[in-house]
Amino acid sequence: MASTQGAAEVLVASNRGPVSYVLTDGADGAGIEAKRGGGGLVSALSVVKDKLWVCSALTDGDREAVRRGVSEPGVRMLDIDAEIHADAYNGVANSVLWFVHHMLYQTPLEPAFGPEFRRQWASYEAYNRAFAEALAEEAAPGATVVVQDYHLTLVPGMLRELRDDLRIGHFSHTPWAPVDYFRMLPDDIAERILQGMLGADRLGFLTRRWADAFTDCATRILGGTSGTRIGVHGLGADADFLRERAGRPDVDERLAALREQVGADRKVIVRVDRTELSKNIVRGLQAYELLLETRPELREKVVHVAFAYPSRQDLAVYRDYTAEVSRVAESINARFGTPGWTPVVLHVKDDFARSLAAYRLADVALVNPIRDGMNLVAKEVPVVSDEGCVLVLSREAGAYEELGDDALVVNPYDVSGTCEVLAAALSMSLDERAERTKRLASAGTALPPGQWFLDQLSALRD
């Protein structure tokens, strides 16, 4: 057991925390400004006021804040060596574990786990160890610790060795790979990840499918789950926040601008995504192009509003994918566009108010990921849609388990099939659309973020 014990009764660990720091130029030299983060996790965890959030310094501003002793109440930021963090975050978490769980590899060429991977894996272990040691130091006797996501799979096991008195949970926000795909990892690494996770008292997943996949991996590779409990918590949208935020003047302004861009009396297919490889934006554009090609009567009567916000641009494969999204959109516009009609309205600058405006405007929402832990966009659009919308949803999204009955479901690899479903969605009657939207909004908000977190705490303490 660690020699020192802190006073925190509830602790959260995640790569990104609820605050970031920016260096500013002040009269007396460089100053530091704190910026509170948004997002679902920050919202969910705000229901527990008296907690400690342990996170990593991600920017130069963050690292300088830690060095100067600048901090926010309830947050401990770790100044992990920048090279170790880069290896752990980009080299292992985002380039290996994300690819495994989302089944993104082009297997004739990748992965190839050689000495460079082993070097990066050592950094991943060091990064996880830094979190485990900080949590052990800060936790009160018998405290509850909830570790977040694939960046920190080793923390539960490491923390258990340091503090056996703690209640330790881990929550996975991604899918979990089927065992045959998971076993692409080197055998010792696959075992190490599973053993690290099973250091927790309880593991949480977004859907039963992902929970069962983990159990299958643990059973086939390790012989069982060693008494660790497995639970499912299907994170939902925050209806009250979304409806209030979507009604603000800045959203109204952006809605008016979008309507002007789209043109009068046109149907709108909306997608809002990061240019993440798993989101399948290119095949969605290809399905829309096929729709215009095979149904000329829809030309000038429909617009695809696509918000594709650049993601992980420090990785070459993501930069290439982002460029391909733009190329395909431009190609469609060049092929079909007319002086009064732009078939694809593409925005790449992140703007939450504009995203909400698009949600309100949508006749059809296209959510077709190759694989997704949940996909909150699928749950958010029906909540704020002004006149009801048709949800076209991939069966590989976690949200499919809850929303599949009232969505129009697609195989994300089937471009022709997606084209047919888009056509059906555009022709759905307003009455049916409204009824489906009502049921989708109800299902999608059944477990709002705050309750999602409280349920995990309660289950962990039982």
Side-chain angles (χ1 to χ4, degrees):
M1 185 175 291
S3 58
T4 59
Q5 292 181 344
E9 295 289 350
V10 176
L11 299 93
V12 175
S14 65
N15 175 67
R16 183 179 299 277
V19 65
S20 62
Y21 295 94
V22 179
L23 296 174
T24 59
D25 291 325
D28 54 351
I32 291 183
E33 180 183 339
K35 297 198 169 187
R36 300 297 295 185
L41 194 59
V42 174
S43 168
L45 271 54
S46 66
V47 296
V48 177
K49 302 300 180 194
D50 187 18
K51 66 179 178 298
L52 180 69
W53 195 323
V54 178
C55 58
S56 181
L58 302 180
T59 66
D60 291 341
D62 291 348
R63 293 186 188 94
E64 185 61 25
V66 175
R67 287 165 198 155
R68 294 190 195 179
V70 175
S71 63
E72 300 292 301
V75 179
R76 176 170 170 184
M77 192 173 275
L78 307 180
D79 183 13
I80 297 168
D81 179 85
E83 289 186 11
I84 287 177
H85 183 271
D87 283 344
Y89 182 70
N90 280 331
V92 175
N94 288 343
S95 294
V96 176
L97 300 185
W98 181 274
F99 272 60
V100 167
H101 290 315
H102 290 84
M103 300 169 64
L104 294 176
Y105 282 121
Q106 298 181 56
T107 52
L109 297 174
E110 57 185 13
F113 296 118
E116 175 63 6
F117 168 73
R118 293 288 173 171
R119 186 191 68 75
Q120 291 176 325
W121 177 258
S123 293
Y124 183 80
E125 289 189 324
Y127 166 77
N128 275 252
R129 192 172 297 112
F131 272 86
E133 289 171 353
L135 291 164
E137 184 181 311
E138 298 285 359
T144 302
V145 181
V146 186
V147 181
Q148 304 294 318
D149 230 0
Y150 61 103
H151 314 93
L152 301 174
T153 59
L154 307 182
V155 167
M158 292 175 168
L159 183 56
R160 177 68 62 209
E161 291 178 1
L162 295 170
R163 293 285 303 274
D164 194 40
D165 61 305
L166 301 178
R167 294 186 178 116
I168 304 170
H170 183 285
F171 193 87
S172 293
H173 294 264
T174 64
W176 194 271
V179 65
D180 289 343
Y181 208 92
F182 187 74
R183 292 187 93 156
M184 281 199 293
L185 291 166
D187 292 354
D188 61 316
I189 302 298
E191 290 177 11
R192 185 85 181 85
I193 288 169
L194 294 171
Q195 287 164 345
M197 297 271 286
L198 293 174
D201 296 286
R202 190 174 187 276
L203 300 174
F205 296 88
L206 286 164
T207 72
R208 175 52 54 192
R209 180 183 179 187
W210 313 142
D212 289 347
F214 176 86
T215 300
D216 193 28
C217 285
T219 301
R220 296 265 298 278
I221 295 171
L222 297 180
T225 54
S226 305
T228 296
R229 291 176 289 138
I230 311 288
V232 174
H233 302 274
L235 176 62
D238 186 338
D240 293 340
F241 164 74
L242 286 168
R243 288 183 178 124
E244 185 277 326
R245 184 68 186 86
R248 290 188 200 171
D250 61 337
V251 177
D252 289 336
E253 288 168 18
R254 285 161 176 78
L255 181 59
L258 277 175
R259 283 204 173 107
E260 192 171 332
Q261 266 190 301
V262 166
D265 301 322
R266 286 181 175 138
K267 293 282 184 75
V268 182
I269 300 170
V270 165
R271 87 168 306 132
V272 177
D273 275 314
R274 293 175 295 113
T275 54
E276 157 54 50
L277 306 181
S278 63
K279 299 298 185 182
N280 207 26
I281 300 169
V282 170
R283 287 192 191 90
L285 287 166
Q286 290 168 342
Y288 176 65
E289 182 172 26
L290 187 59
L291 184 76
L292 298 180
E293 182 182 304
T294 57
R295 291 170 171 79
E297 70 276 10
L298 289 177
R299 295 174 197 171
E300 303 210 49
K301 293 183 180 173
V302 63
V303 172
H304 186 11
V305 173
F307 294 168
Y309 301 139
S311 174
R312 298 178 185 169
Q313 296 299 289
D314 44 354
L315 296 176
V317 66
Y318 281 85
R319 292 196 298 274
D320 293 346
Y321 188 75
T322 301
E324 180 64 6
V325 168
S326 293
R327 188 197 68 76
V328 174
E330 289 164 8
S331 171
I332 294 169
N333 286 339
R335 182 180 176 193
F336 293 106
T338 65
W341 171 58
T342 304
V344 180
V345 173
L346 178 69
H347 286 284
V348 296
K349 190 173 187 305
D350 197 348
D351 183 332
F352 184 56
R354 191 176 57 209
S355 296
L356 289 172
Y359 288 1
R360 288 177 54 185
L361 184 64
D363 295 290
V364 177
L366 176 58
V367 181
N368 67 321
I370 293 167
R371 199 167 160 84
D372 213 334
M374 177 55 71
N375 196 296
L376 281 178
V377 171
K379 293 184 169 185
E380 291 169 351
V381 179
V383 174
V384 298
S385 169
D386 280 354
E387 296 181 19
C389 72
V390 185
L391 176 63
V392 174
L393 180 64
S394 166
R395 67 190 186 198
E396 298 303 314
Y400 166 73
E401 287 195 14
E402 296 162 82
L403 307 183
D405 287 348
D406 287 297
L408 300 188
V409 178
V410 295
N411 169 350
Y413 299 97
D414 185 354
V415 171
S416 295
T418 302
C419 166
E420 294 302 316
V421 169
L422 286 174
L426 289 167
S427 64
M428 186 180 289
S429 73
L430 288 174
D431 286 347
E432 183 179 354
R433 220 168 86 172
E435 285 302 314
R436 284 176 182 256
T437 302
K438 200 179 300 179
R439 293 192 295 267
L440 288 167
S442 176
T445 57
L447 188 61
Q451 194 58 47
W452 168 84
F453 185 58
L454 292 175
D455 285 0
Q456 288 178 67
L457 287 181
S458 176
L460 192 50
R461 289 165 170 166
D462 281 348

